[in-house]
Structures are given as structure tokens and as C-alpha cells.
Amino acid sequence: MIKSAYIHIPFCEHICHYCDFNKVFLKGQPVNEYLQAMDEEMKLSLAAYPATKLETIFVGGGTPTSLNEKQLSQLCESITRRLPADGQVEFTFEANPGDLSKEKLAIMKQAGVNRLSLGVQTFNDELLKSIGRVHRASDVFRTVEHAKAAGFENISIDLIYSLPGQTLTDLKETLQQAYTLDISHYSGYSLIIEPKTVFYNLMRKGKLPTPGEDIEAAMYELVMEEMDRHGFVQYEISNFAKPGFESKHNLTYWNNEEYFGFGAGAHSYIDGWRRSNSGPLKKYMEHIANGVLPVFEEHHVSRAEKMEEEMFLGLRKNEGVSVMKFIEKFQEDPLKLYENQLNDLIEKGWINVSENAMKLTKKGRLLGNEVFQSFLGVSND
Ligand code: SF4
């Protein structure tokens, strides 16, 4: 039974220099019509794939908090009316610091939102400017203070390291500031330069002073050490939490479980099918106006692919892939199926294997993708 839903709000008031997410510039967009269409999509989808009770709802973007108060109320009302959930649900909103007025916080709280995920990236104002963010460090402190005053106890922030011009000392300072917020969860990602971004063009012209691989690896080690020192348990390659505050929603993905995805360009995984919705707003809304689900692409996941996914998604978690769960799901022993690959990875010092679980080592975490690739194409079922 599906336990999770992702809802996509593709609007942003500014476009950041590194961003390749599925988003559009807010000004002039048919936001009200989009919210209406998404309401309809939830209705159509839940009629086709009934769910009894969701355990996680995640509203991401884009920037969900770029909606005005009326639109935010409309969205919250839609979600609570259409999606089956109770007080136990982990209900997350992504937000940009500076976007969260007291009124917006009250609307979310009233609707049952109980987790906020803020796109902070760094506390260095110069770096924030240079990556095209419009908020400043002071906005983060104010936003977190207001969120706490509004009753939000489960707050996460995203940080990005290996930014152009960033030094290890900068990152250390950012982490020091981050811990003063007294919150329960941090995500720390290294910057990836994606095609079609401002940064990509600068990089091609040789004008992007990224710190380089060695500093990047040192930054990741610093993040892991500092998180550990401050009592945050690393539970995934890039995620750290106080015990009990791990993101249940993201664990759905890493546990290779199914989920709904609503909105333009959103992805879903239902009854063994991975689907993506049409991305352009007009196309997305046309489908809905015609009374059909706005599916752009779909792919039935074969048993072999499911096993691969179980490995490379599960290995992202620090607890690794459970051997028992793998056998329960696929009636196949992964220690036998992947014997050669595992032996090779053990020899390289990238993976640890016990009879209960397969886990990345610290070195393996630094090389994630290289390890994951080992499991592709092993089974042909
Ligand atoms: S606010 Fe987020 S989604 Fe929007 S452009 Fe910046 S990084 Fe991308």
C-alpha cells in the first residue's frame, strides 16, 4: 500500500545559478489554475489507485512558499481534503528563508504541516549572492525563530558545499552558524554543476573557481565529523538527524518503496510503474482538463531493475541494505547474487558485508556512484 505523496510547486521568484530543478519563473504564471489542476489530479489519481492512509506528505519545488497566502491556503485545503492522512503523518513543506511570513506559518500549522525544510545553502552572504540566492544569513535566523514560535519543532536545513570560491574555513563557519539554530535535521550536498545552468556556462568558459575534488572530499569529511561531534547521526550519504528526526519521506525513496507524485513534472512509483508527469504547465493542465492523468512517460520496473534499485538506493543509508529484507522481497540471496561484486568492493575497502546487511564504508560514501554502478546489469530477470 502506498504510504507517501510528493506534491510539486514549480514556481520560483528568482532562479539560482546552479539550479537544474524542474521550475519556472513565478511572474505571469497561471498559479491558481495550476493549483486547481493539481487538486483534480489528486482526485483522479486517488480514484485510480486508492490509498488508505498516507504516512508522509512532502511539498517541494520550485519554491512552495512563493505562493501567496490565499494560494497557500488553497493548496493546504486541497491536500487535506484529497489525501488520506491523520495526525501521525509527517507533513513537510520546503521553504526559502525569508519567504515564511507569520501568516504563512500559521496557515501551514493549521493544515497540519509539522516539518519544514529550508533551503539555506550557506551562511556566508557573499557566497549566497554569488550563487544567485536572494536570502541572507539573517533571514535564516529570523525564519527559524518565527517557525519555532509558530510551533514547528521539526526543522531541517539544506547546506551546499564545494561552492565556487568556498574554502574549508568558510564551510567550518557555516556549520558553526548552522548549529546555533538548534534544529533537528541537516542535509549537506556537494554542488553539482548541471547542464543548462548559469554555472555550467561559466564553467565551460573556465570562469567558475570550484574548489576541486580534493577540497570537496575534505569538505564532505568535515561535514561528517562536525555532524557527529554535534550529536547528529548520519543516516544517509547526505543527511544527518537527531535520533527520531530522520526524514520519513526521503526514507521512502531509499527504502525503494512506492509513492504518489502530483504536479507538473512530478515522478511517481505505483504498482510497479515509475511514471513522470508532463513538465510544461500548459501540457500538464491540458491533460487534467481532458480528465486524464498527466502522464508523460511510464516504465514498468522489471524484477532485475527492482533488485538493482534496492541495492543502490539502500546503500545510500548508513544502515545499508538488509539481507533479510532483500530475500523477503525477491526470494533471492543478495550475498550470492552479488558475490563477485561484493568481494571486489570489500577488497577495495568500499563496502562492509555481514550476514545481516551490506553497508558502504566511509571511503565508499565518498565514491557513492562508482559503488552503485557495480550492481547494474548483474541479474537479467
Ligand atoms: S529556489 Fe530552489 S528551485 Fe528555485 S531556482 Fe533556487 S534552487 Fe532552484
Side-chain angles (χ1 to χ4, degrees):
M1 193 50 83
I2 300 177
K3 297 183 297 183
S4 294
Y6 173 77
I7 293 146
H8 191 66
I9 304 297
F11 311 110
C12 288
E13 285 173 279
H14 301 271
I15 304 298
C16 306
H17 297 344
Y18 56 89
C19 179
D20 82 324
F21 297 145
N22 164 22
K23 56 19 175 121
V24 289
F25 190 52
L26 174 71
K27 211 166 165 205
Q29 296 295 341
V31 180
N32 294 337
E33 292 80 353
Y34 178 76
L35 295 177
Q36 191 54 49
M38 222 164 43
D39 181 79
E40 201 55 33
E41 187 196 357
M42 290 185 219
K43 184 173 110 186
L44 289 172
S45 192
L46 266 290
Y49 310 106
T52 45
K53 200 178 81 173
L54 295 177
E55 292 176 12
T56 77
I57 299 173
F58 192 104
V59 184
T63 315
T65 48
S66 65
L67 301 179
N68 66 31
E69 285 153 25
K70 202 160 162 237
Q71 292 160 342
L72 191 62
S73 295
Q74 187 186 339
L75 171 64
C76 287
E77 193 273 327
S78 238
I79 293 171
T80 44
R81 182 163 39 84
R82 295 290 185 203
L83 303 184
D86 61 18
Q88 301 300 310
V89 69
E90 178 192 89
F91 188 176
T92 306
F93 252 75
E94 276 184 349
N96 275 350
D99 270 357
L100 278 176
S101 64
K102 289 185 181 169
E103 290 74 16
K104 287 187 190 177
L105 284 163
I107 292 165
M108 289 193 266
K109 188 77 191 150
Q110 172 76 26
V113 176
N114 49 26
R115 185 170 184 273
L116 294 174
S117 174
L118 303 175
V120 170
Q121 322 315 1
T122 167
F123 283 83
N124 180 322
D125 281 351
E126 284 309 308
L127 283 175
L128 280 170
K129 242 188 261 170
S130 72
I131 62 174
R133 300 291 308 205
V134 288
H135 74 268
R136 297 294 172 254
S138 55
D139 294 315
V140 178
F141 292 108
R142 207 185 52 249
T143 300
V144 169
E145 194 185 311
H146 288 172
K148 285 184 182 174
F152 288 92
E153 288 164 4
N154 192 349
I155 301 174
S156 173
I157 66 168
D158 281 0
L159 298 171
I160 303 183
Y161 57 87
S162 193
L163 296 170
Q166 190 179 35
T167 62
L168 268 167
T169 312
D170 284 326
L171 179 61
K172 216 174 229 171
E173 281 167 13
T174 270
L175 290 168
Q176 271 162 10
Q177 303 243 41
Y179 297 124
T180 65
L181 293 173
D182 191 21
I183 55 174
S184 46
H185 189 284
Y186 295 94
S187 302
Y189 303 100
S190 77
L191 178 71
I192 296 173
I193 313 288
E194 302 281 6
K196 293 193 203 146
T197 60
V198 173
F199 273 0
Y200 187 76
N201 290 332
L202 286 173
M203 185 181 74
R204 283 180 35 157
K205 289 181 196 151
K207 290 186 179 164
L208 197 69
T210 45
E213 270 177 29
D214 291 347
I215 303 277
E216 181 181 335
M219 286 180 166
Y220 183 41
E221 298 222 24
L222 177 71
V223 171
M224 290 194 284
E225 272 163 32
E226 287 296 303
M227 290 293 167
D228 186 44
R229 215 162 61 81
H230 286 82
F232 291 88
V233 179
Q234 181 172 19
Y235 67 102
E236 193 264 352
I237 287 185
S238 308
N239 283 277
F240 307 83
K242 284 265 158 75
F245 286 91
E246 299 83 3
S247 162
K248 290 190 193 131
H249 184 81
N250 287 337
L251 280 166
T252 304
Y253 303 137
W254 302 320
N255 286 332
N256 200 15
E257 289 166 354
E258 299 197 334
Y259 52 90
F260 290 103
F262 303 112
H267 293 252
S268 62
Y269 186 18
I270 303 173
D271 290 347
W273 288 82
R274 289 199 183 269
R275 298 189 176 90
S276 64
N277 280 353
S278 290
L281 299 193
K282 214 170 144 233
K283 266 261 158 327
Y284 168 78
M285 292 194 291
E286 262 170 29
H287 283 299
I288 304 281
N290 292 330
V292 291
L293 287 169
V295 177
F296 171 62
E297 274 179 337
E298 59 181 7
H299 171 72
H300 186 259
V301 186
S302 69
R303 181 169 175 271
E305 287 167 327
K306 277 186 190 154
M307 289 195 284
E308 287 170 3
E309 289 174 349
E310 189 79 11
M311 290 303 287
F312 66 73
L313 292 169
L315 282 172
R316 298 192 63 90
K317 297 176 293 174
N318 276 36
E319 67 174 35
V321 176
S322 154
V323 174
M324 278 288 285
K325 277 195 195 142
F326 194 102
I327 295 173
E328 261 170 44
K329 267 192 182 176
F330 304 108
Q331 288 76 51
E332 187 137 2
D333 184 346
L335 302 183
K336 288 208 183 95
L337 177 65
Y338 298 118
E339 192 176 357
N340 294 340
Q341 290 70 22
L342 291 171
N343 284 341
D344 180 46
L345 294 168
I346 292 168
E347 207 167 291
K348 287 178 171 148
W350 296 354
I351 212 165
N352 272 329
V353 176
S354 69
E355 49 187 69
N356 300 327
M358 299 162 279
K359 300 178 189 180
L360 292 185
T361 59
K362 207 169 163 197
K363 202 166 152 202
R365 270 180 238 151
L366 282 162
L367 296 160
N369 285 337
E370 268 180 71
V371 183
F372 303 150
Q373 276 167 15
S374 320
F375 300 100
L376 301 181
V378 176
S379 168
N380 300 312
D381 290 14

